Amino acid sequence: MADDFLDTILVVVPVRDEAELLHGCLEHLQRAMDQARLTRPAIRVHLCVVLDHCRDSSGAVAAAAAAGDPRITLISVDFGSVGASRRAGIADLLKTITNDADDEALLHRIWIACTDADTRVPAHWLTTSIALAESGSDAIAGTVEPDRADLDQELFAAWAREHHRHEGHKHVHGANLGVRASAYRAVGGFDPVPLHEDALLVHKLRREGFRVLSTGKLHAVTSGRARGRVSTGFAGYLRDLARAPAARAEGQST
């Protein structure tokens, strides 16, 4: 719809000691940014890498990418919180683009695309986001799957049984989530929490009547490691899946 036209894409990636995976994440994002510019030459695309209390070489990896790509900026924070990191990266980009102006029409033309440093998005990630947003979505919840190279066949099958790439799915992943800046600002943005900031944001958007699309058309691959940067979260979920067959077997034997 004409009223939902976008002219700016802001991509935000929180990073906490992800040197091994960050390079691949940024390469995939740059391809998606390139494709967006090919499809819509006039669109502005910016990427903020938020380095949150990194003690490894993540900063050097991000700096090398930024040195060769003026679309990439870096900020360093010390939150230890993915919600606070996402919030800070978005605030930094919005300040640059809007000069802190609270202009509803301007914010409505800006799309915020969120992913994680251990995630690889497809080349069409932003072009598909643009098309879906301009078709009437205020937010888009995509799907993810763990990297099959990180999981054995049984564990990946357990994942697949509970996660489906269909329209109207029930999943929310910060690694594959987009929102219109006007809607994001209206609900107060990401809460500065260490977990579930993605689900909390989508809950607020739905509660306030914004149009949230859950789709399998945007699909990303994320790390399948069983030990993440926090004690629970996605890695904890995979650990629970891995334990489930053993727990069922133990229950059946007693």
Side-chain angles (χ1 to χ4, degrees), residues 164-189:
H164 306 284
R165 290 175 58 179
H166 56 64
E167 300 307 290
H169 65 81
K170 303 299 183 184
H171 311 296
V172 177
H173 304 282
N176 193 358
L177 181 64
V179 59
R180 195 176 292 274
S182 52
Y184 176 86
R185 179 77 60 88
V187 301

Side-chain angles (χ1 to χ4, degrees), residues 200-234:
L200 288 170
L201 177 65
V202 169
H203 172 73
K204 291 191 294 184
L205 290 165
R206 286 181 168 141
R207 183 185 64 199
E208 296 302 319
F210 288 102
R211 303 161 295 181
V212 179
L213 174 68
S214 297
T215 180
K217 294 176 181 176
L218 289 173
H219 188 68
V221 176
T222 195
S223 170
R225 63 192 173 198
R227 186 172 297 277
R229 299 295 176 245
V230 293
S231 59
T232 55
F234 190 80

Side-chain angles (χ1 to χ4, degrees), residues 11-15 18-34 46-51 57-69 71-74 115-123 125-126:
V11 183
V12 176
V13 184
V15 182
E18 294 285 6
E20 292 182 9
L21 299 172
L22 182 57
H23 179 72
C25 167
L26 295 178
E27 275 196 336
H28 280 75
L29 283 172
Q30 286 172 296
R31 290 175 196 150
M33 293 161 72
D34 291 343
H46 303 271
L47 165 61
C48 181
V49 179
V50 185
L51 300 160
S57 58
S58 293
V61 174
D69 191 334
R71 300 170 298 184
I72 302 175
T73 57
L74 317 179
T115 189
D116 287 339
D118 63 347
T119 300
R120 303 188 303 273
V121 301
W125 191 56
L126 294 178

